[in-house]
Amino acid sequence: MNSKQLSAFRAVMLAGSMSDASRMLYVSQPAVSRLIKDLEESLGFTLFDRRNSRLYPTQAAHAFYREVERHFIGMDNLSQAADQIRMMRSGRLRIAVMPALAFSAMPTVVSRFLKSHGDVSATFSPHLSPEVVNRVGAQQFDLGLAMLPVDSKEIAFGACYKVNCQCIAPAGHRFAEQKRVNAADLDREPFVAIGAQNTITRFRIDVAIKESLARPDERIETPLFSTAASLVKEGLGVSIVDPFTAHQFAQQGVVARPFDPGIPLYFGFISPVNRPISGLAQEFIDSFEAYAAYNVPLTPIDPEEVGVA
């Protein structure tokens, strides 16, 4: 097994055919076929079933591909590290962030952090929380910010927090006259619901509304807080979102108010289990907390408080 064979296999998996893979690699199709055949002989199992002039990856191929991707990700990381050395950069931070913060507070935090650390570069990548956990655990990122609870033996916890969700409404809405919004106030209100990808938060919101006997007019459902806030801004109804998103859209004219009963949202920083949070990563966490101190109150928590093993 050699790097040319692995590159050919990866290209076929990505492209779906020998001919397309050959164009990706700028080699002939027979050369790709030979590399795949040699790789199969080296591995001792079949990678592709050939039926009706088409290739179909075997179950073994899919399993092997996951490991090959780890290899290429590692090579990409080495290449990027070399680029940093050539550019005489003294630091690089790779950060994966859950959408609620990736599309609200984090661009400002990253911007301020890089401006105050002129010798540092960063990779900033939004992912759903389960994917943040998986990618940080696979050491594709130095630092992650994910919704809790998290159950993974591949990650270690840094600072973790609790915040309370807020109710948001279109500009000029009657909620602007209130200091707080109660669940009962949602009765018959056009409502933008948070979808199944935010299962825990959706459950807590549904319980609060049900216990208040309110019956909102659910106009639309969407999985992301940021999308819900955009729909609220367009006048489609009111919603309950995380406080970072609420703060961002309040600056654009949306009404944001504390919501009763409290809908908690737990989240925290994570790192690969065998690579403790670096000094640079800790400075980034400090920058996030400095931003939050002026905009969204954070309550520090132990991750075990929300059922994390």
Side-chain angles (χ1 to χ4, degrees):
M1 183 179 2
N2 57 47
S3 60
K4 288 185 178 180
Q5 293 168 355
L6 294 178
S7 294
F9 168 67
R10 181 172 184 255
V12 174
M13 290 292 288
L14 291 172
S17 70
M18 294 283 187
S19 58
D20 288 340
S22 69
R23 285 190 285 271
M24 285 178 61
L25 298 173
Y26 299 100
V27 299
S28 67
Q29 183 174 334
V32 173
S33 298
R34 168 52 61 182
L35 288 168
I36 295 297
K37 183 177 180 181
D38 290 346
L39 179 59
E40 289 178 327
E41 291 177 355
S42 174
L43 294 171
F45 53 79
T46 301
L47 293 170
F48 299 98
D49 290 330
R50 297 159 178 83
R51 301 193 301 270
N52 299 323
S53 300
R54 294 190 61 184
L55 292 181
Y56 296 87
T58 63
Q59 185 174 355
H62 286 292
F64 185 60
Y65 177 69
R66 289 193 290 269
E67 299 305 315
V68 169
E69 275 298 282
R70 288 177 181 265
H71 164 77
F72 277 94
I73 288 169
M75 295 299 293
D76 289 342
N77 289 341
L78 288 175
S79 176
Q80 291 177 24
D83 289 341
Q84 298 298 317
I85 293 171
R86 283 195 297 271
M87 295 170 65
M88 298 303 292
R89 292 279 180 83
S90 65
R92 174 170 165 263
L93 190 60
R94 300 170 301 168
I95 314 159
V97 182
M98 65 187 198
L101 283 149
F103 302 133
S104 57
M106 203 51 63
T108 299
V109 175
V110 171
S111 175
R112 292 178 180 178
F113 178 76
L114 292 180
K115 288 176 181 177
S116 65
H117 293 72
D119 55 351
V120 173
S121 64
T123 298
F124 169 57
S125 187
H127 294 285
L128 296 176
S129 287
E131 190 65 14
V132 170
V133 174
N134 291 337
R135 288 176 178 263
V136 171
Q139 301 189 35
Q140 297 175 22
F141 291 92
D142 307 304
L143 192 64
L145 194 55
M147 193 176 297
L148 304 179
V150 167
D151 184 14
S152 172
K153 296 181 180 178
E154 303 299 323
I155 58 99
F157 290 97
C160 295
Y161 317 96
K162 171 190 171 185
V163 293
N164 285 317
C165 292
Q166 295 189 1
C167 181
I168 57 173
H173 193 277
R174 63 185 178 88
F175 287 171
E177 304 300 321
Q178 302 180 202
K179 291 184 177 180
R180 307 183 71 87
V181 174
N182 296 309
D185 294 330
L186 301 181
D187 191 46
R188 301 183 186 277
E189 277 288 336
F191 190 70
V192 180
I194 302 300
Q197 289 183 4
N198 271 296
T199 306
I200 296 176
T201 305
R202 172 62 184 264
F203 173 77
R204 289 171 177 153
I205 293 171
D206 287 349
V207 168
I209 293 174
K210 183 177 181 180
E211 290 181 348
S212 75
L213 303 180
R215 291 188 176 183
D217 176 14
E218 187 175 308
R219 289 282 184 85
I220 188 170
E221 178 180 300
T222 185
L224 299 180
F225 290 127
S226 57
T227 310
S230 294
L231 294 170
V232 169
K233 183 181 177 182
E234 292 299 318
L236 284 182
V238 304
S239 189
I240 300 169
V241 301
D242 73 278
F244 295 97
T245 300
H247 174 74
Q248 179 192 26
F249 278 81
Q251 295 177 315
Q252 303 173 35
V254 167
V255 175
R257 293 292 183 268
F259 183 77
D260 293 321
I263 306 294
L265 188 148
Y266 303 94
F267 65 99
F269 285 97
I270 59 174
S271 62
V273 69
N274 58 345
R275 289 176 53 194
I277 291 176
S278 67
L280 187 62
Q282 185 58 54
E283 289 182 34
F284 182 82
I285 294 174
D286 294 342
S287 295
F288 169 75
E289 291 185 343
Y291 167 89
Y294 287 96
N295 299 293
V296 177
L298 299 176
T299 301
I301 61 165
D302 186 316
E304 292 185 358
E305 293 179 20
V306 283
V308 180

